[in-house]
Amino acid sequence: MRIPPSRSRTLRGGTAAVAAAVLVALGAAPALAADPEPDLGVGTIGPVKGVQPGSSFSTPLTFLNKGTAEVPAVWVTYAVSPGLKADETHKNCTYYTTPSYDEMPESNVASCKVEQPLKPGVVYGTAKPVSVKALDSAFRDGLRVTIGVDEPAPGDGGSTEPEPGTGDPLTLVEKGPATDADRENHPEPVAEADVTAANIADFALTGAELKGEVGEKVTATVKFDNKGPARVQGARDESVTTVDIHIPKGTSVVKPHGFCDAVTKTHYRCGTSQSWVDVDGGESYPFVLRIDKAAGRTTGEVSFSGQERPFDRNAENDTAQIVIDTGKESDTAGSSGSAGSSGGTGGSSSTGGSGSTGSTSSTGGTAGASGGSADSGGSTTGGATPQTGGNLAATGSDSTAPIVGMAAAAVAAGGGILWAVRRRSAARGN
């Protein structure tokens, strides 16, 4: 638990006074030479390739005391990624697993206390090569070896309980005086190596199928899964793969998933939460979509992009679709078709009344004469327009009739415009 800022400042203030007094006292005492820090190095480890899942491999490990004083004992630690584990245990080692953190995956760790002195300028190696087992999920893995004089801590929390080994102790043997080349080959107290297994993994995509009406919001969830058998580690700090999602026509994105960036208004590219994906792991990408218009059964494509996947030999599940049934286009068009038609587009009663202009005999006769206007009256504001002129000219009425018809048409047109404005306002409100 962190100390609150107020307490932290108080402690620092109180400690400063004590520290000042101590410094004054030390100023009168003769300076003592500090012991030099041990300068230890791990030999460079070559990459291990072509390991078969389920088999074991070993690699030689070497160490060098590059300082001037003998080191009485050391801690040798080797950690492997989740696709690997120690093949045999040693009684002077403890074994535990540390959880993933930041962009680092979890590790299977062996921490060994070697109680034998390391002379300066001498190269040491393990008496027996360290043996490591490749699990069924092995693919792109790694080995990390460190040496130091302090016991390594398992971590801040989340590590498994350390378990002691049971086999022969891990010991070091002298290999000879160090040359200049040996010193260059042991630059740091840590060394890493890539371990590659001959394995495959099946990346799969799953789409969604939904149904809704105009104005409704629906949630389409796209899923990415690793069906194994290999766990796949990608480049550090990069998504292990990317998924391209194209939104179905007639819909718009209300809320995309947080791992996804817009390429266009209808095209999103989605990453992964980590640079690796475990077996049976993956991601889900829920998208909240609004159905803007009836477009029938409309689809959007989903596919992988980004890194090459030579390990994935099953292409059948590399694509998917988002399918949304938005209703038939004719259903929407029919609700706003021209009036006066007895059987086709089914206009509203209000526009039908304005089209008949009061003559009951004309309504039945104009059904056929106004058939062309019924087809052209698909827009929501143009339903009354074909009723004027075309139908009235066909009746052969006197000069009074056209005036009455024009007035009725004007009223109908005004009502149609008002209805359209209200519809658009309601749509914007949704």
Side-chain angles (χ1 to χ4, degrees):
M1 178 178 178
R2 288 173 58 91
I3 300 175
S6 59
R7 286 187 59 195
S8 179
R9 286 193 294 270
T10 302
L11 288 172
R12 285 199 296 267
T15 318
V18 176
V22 172
L23 288 173
V24 171
L26 289 177
L32 298 176
D35 293 334
E37 289 289 329
D39 186 5
L40 304 173
V42 180
T44 303
I45 308 171
V48 181
K49 300 179 180 180
V51 178
Q52 294 297 320
S55 67
S56 299
F57 67 93
S58 59
T59 183
L61 302 178
T62 59
F63 308 93
L64 173 61
N65 178 3
K66 297 183 290 181
T68 57
E70 183 176 275
V71 177
V74 293
W75 288 88
V76 173
T77 301
Y78 57 99
V80 291
S81 53
L84 308 172
K85 73 171 187 178
D87 188 36
E88 56 184 345
T89 65
H90 305 279
K91 64 175 60 178
N92 60 333
C93 305
T94 57
Y95 300 83
Y96 54 90
T97 299
T98 59
S100 62
Y101 62 93
D102 297 333
E103 285 299 314
M104 298 295 294
E106 69 178 26
S107 296
N108 297 319
V109 182
S111 181
C112 311
K113 186 176 183 181
V114 181
E115 296 187 270
Q116 63 184 84
L118 267 65
K119 302 174 184 177
V122 175
V123 177
Y124 290 83
T126 54
K128 290 174 54 180
V130 170
S131 182
V132 178
K133 183 178 180 66
L135 305 178
D136 291 340
S137 61
F139 181 39
R140 296 172 180 166
D141 287 281
L143 168 67
R144 177 184 174 92
V145 180
T146 61
I147 188 171
V149 294
D150 298 318
E151 180 179 4
D156 294 332
S159 299
T160 60
E161 190 68 25
E163 296 183 2
T166 57
D168 294 335
L170 180 73
T171 57
L172 303 179
V173 294
E174 292 188 21
K175 297 181 71 68
T179 64
D180 290 341
D182 289 327
R183 292 184 178 276
E184 291 182 3
N185 194 45
H186 295 73
E188 303 290 340
V190 58
E192 295 181 332
D194 292 332
V195 179
T196 306
N199 209 346
I200 59 174
D202 183 15
F203 281 12
L205 290 173
T206 305
E209 186 162 351
L210 305 164
K211 185 176 183 179
E213 298 179 355
V214 173
E216 287 186 348
K217 296 175 184 177
V218 295
T219 300
T221 300
V222 172
K223 293 184 178 181
F224 152 56
D225 296 295
N226 175 21
K227 297 182 178 297
R231 168 193 175 274
V232 179
Q233 174 76 55
R236 190 171 295 177
D237 299 330
E238 294 184 11
S239 292
V240 68
T241 191
T242 52
V243 177
D244 279 5
I245 298 177
H246 294 267
I247 306 305
K249 291 182 179 180
T251 68
S252 56
V253 177
V254 177
K255 183 180 180 182
H257 189 263
F259 294 164
C260 304
D261 295 324
V263 180
T264 67
K265 289 183 178 180
T266 60
H267 176 196
Y268 282 75
R269 182 159 292 159
C270 306
T272 57
S273 56
Q274 300 288 357
S275 58
W276 67 86
V277 57
D278 295 325
V279 179
D280 297 327
E283 304 287 353
S284 292
Y285 307 108
F287 272 68
V288 179
L289 306 178
R290 176 188 170 87
I291 300 175
D292 297 323
K293 63 180 180 180
R297 187 177 172 85
T298 179
T299 63
E301 299 298 323
V302 181
S303 60
F304 286 115
S305 62
Q307 299 92 329
E308 299 255 339
R309 304 186 319 281
F311 54 83
D312 187 352
R313 301 177 185 176
N314 179 18
E316 293 183 359
N317 54 16
D318 289 352
T319 59
Q321 289 184 330
I322 299 174
V323 181
I324 301 181
D325 186 349
T326 62
K328 297 181 180 178
E329 293 182 78
S330 59
D331 291 344
T332 303
S335 65
S336 57
S338 63
S341 174
S342 60
T345 57
S348 64
S349 60
S350 61
T351 56
S354 65
S356 65
T357 67
S359 173
T360 56
S361 62
S362 66
T363 57
T366 57
S370 63
S373 64
D375 292 338
S376 63
S379 66
T380 58
T381 61
T385 303
Q387 309 296 332
T388 66
N391 287 345
L392 290 174
T395 63
S397 304
D398 59 16
S399 59
T400 306
I403 295 174
V404 176
M406 292 172 64
V411 173
I417 292 171
L418 180 60
W419 176 79
V421 170
R422 287 176 177 170
R423 185 181 183 192
R424 287 196 295 272
S425 298
R428 285 195 295 269
N430 292 337

